[in-house]
Amino acid sequence: MDWGMANRMSKIIKPKTGKTVMLAVDHGYFMGPTTGLENLKKTVDPLIPYADTLMLTRGALRNYVSPDVDIPIVLRVSGGTSILNKNLLHEGIVASIEEAIRLNVAGVAFSILVGSEMERDTILAFTEMIDEAQLYGIPVVAVTAVGKEMVRDARYMSLASRIAAELGAQIVKTYYVDGFEQVVRTCPVPIVIAGGKKLPELDALKMAHAAIKAGAVGVDMGRNIFQSGDPVAMIKAVRAVVHEGASPKDAFAQFPKGKKRR
Ligand code: R5P
């Protein structure tokens, strides 16, 4: 791995623990003003001290994040369809590598839809981005989005994750499923899990804990943090699980008394 790539990777996956808590707030690129992110700045500013990276779009970065912020950025560079489109996540490149460099990012993120009828389009655009990012030593996070018709199981997640890694991704983001050890074992690059829809806090912490135990290097979590009754307490709890190996119960016990728990 060349120096620039290795340096950027170390900004995403923290060398001290070999783990990462990526805060995903890129939902607006296909969901618009998602609950909790209507005013992204208000939600995200208090979370930044506890996040290892911030994953978002260039528009969110420019409009809601101060340029003097001290946090590595993972830029969402795929898009093209919204939740109003029946072919959700039929994505291509929506931000160039030059733009990523201009924004001084640590990495870029791109969704592929393995197994759906749109897989070829998404995979070809993904590999175009891989080629460009490789030129400048920028890691690519492959987001293995799940098509509506796909079964969310370890077999599918292994297949999608391995394909993403074989095509050149430096990090794979996928969903936690039973048998996650198989997904990690068959993928040669680090894996992080997305949080998915909002769960009760303890359940989300249990999921993060199970993923780490199975070999994931961390989370790239959004709604389960910023839609929590107490987002700061939640990101601190997620950090305890990911970086300190805390049990979900112990991490959850740190929630301030009287704060809303869901
Ligand atoms: C989806 O592709 C987006 O990249 C989200 O950032 C991702 O799903 C993680 O967010 P959440 O934890 O809310 O699922």
Side-chain angles (χ1 to χ4, degrees):
M1 202 183 282
D2 75 273
W3 196 94
M5 178 73 80
N7 177 258
R8 289 188 180 91
M9 283 294 281
S10 76
K11 291 183 190 306
I12 301 174
I13 300 170
K14 298 295 153 184
K16 206 170 158 192
T17 59
K19 301 286 190 305
T20 182
V21 174
M22 303 171 69
L23 177 62
V25 290
D26 59 328
H27 305 61
Y29 89 94
F30 70 109
M31 294 169 84
T34 317
T35 305
L37 295 182
E38 295 89 343
N39 181 337
L40 193 142
K41 187 173 178 55
K42 203 171 153 203
T43 302
V44 167
D45 275 358
L47 300 175
I48 283 179
Y50 308 103
D52 293 320
T53 73
L54 193 56
M55 176 176 163
L56 75 181
T57 61
R58 59 172 150 182
L61 188 58
R62 286 213 192 91
N63 291 300
Y64 294 114
V65 181
S66 170
D68 60 4
V69 72
D70 184 16
I71 190 163
I73 300 299
V74 174
L75 186 71
R76 162 63 69 176
V77 292
S78 70
T81 52
S82 76
I83 43 170
L84 303 180
N85 190 306
K86 68 178 169 47
N87 288 328
L88 179 61
L89 303 177
H90 188 178
E91 301 191 349
I93 297 171
V94 295
S96 67
I97 202 67
E98 289 79 7
E99 178 75 325
I101 294 164
R102 197 176 298 123
L103 293 168
N104 197 26
V105 306
V108 295
F110 198 108
S111 291
I112 54 171
L113 264 186
V114 173
S116 87
E117 60 188 62
M118 285 86 73
E119 72 172 2
R120 186 169 191 275
D121 286 357
T122 62
I123 285 176
L124 292 187
F126 168 66
T127 49
E128 205 178 303
M129 180 51 66
I130 295 257
D131 278 339
E132 290 176 3
Q134 193 75 34
L135 276 179
Y136 301 104
I138 298 181
V140 178
V141 179
V143 181
T144 58
V146 184
K148 278 190 189 124
E149 64 275 31
M150 297 302 139
V151 183
R152 272 189 192 217
D153 61 11
R155 187 172 161 273
Y156 172 76
M157 298 304 174
S158 295
L159 183 137
S161 300
R162 178 61 174 263
I163 288 174
E166 295 257 355
L167 293 173
Q170 276 74 27
I171 298 174
V172 169
K173 170 177 171 177
T174 190
Y175 291 89
Y176 179 77
V177 286
D178 285 343
F180 203 69
E181 293 79 3
Q182 179 192 339
V183 184
V184 175
R185 192 174 57 244
T186 55
C187 181
V189 302
I191 293 192
V192 293
I193 61 152
K197 285 189 184 150
K198 175 76 177 70
L199 301 167
E201 273 89 354
L202 184 56
D203 291 349
L205 294 170
K206 283 181 182 167
M207 180 172 71
H209 186 261
I212 297 293
K213 204 168 157 220
V217 299
V219 299
D220 187 7
M221 195 176 262
R223 288 163 289 181
N224 277 289
I225 293 174
F226 64 72
Q227 290 178 352
S228 166
D230 187 338
V232 170
M234 184 58 181
I235 196 168
K236 284 182 175 174
V238 172
R239 279 196 82 76
V241 167
V242 170
H243 283 293
E244 295 157 30
S247 72
K249 213 174 135 210
D250 288 350
F252 188 58
Q254 292 166 22
F255 262 67
K257 294 237 176 330
K259 284 277 184 180
K260 196 172 170 189
R261 292 179 175 191
R262 279 188 280 197

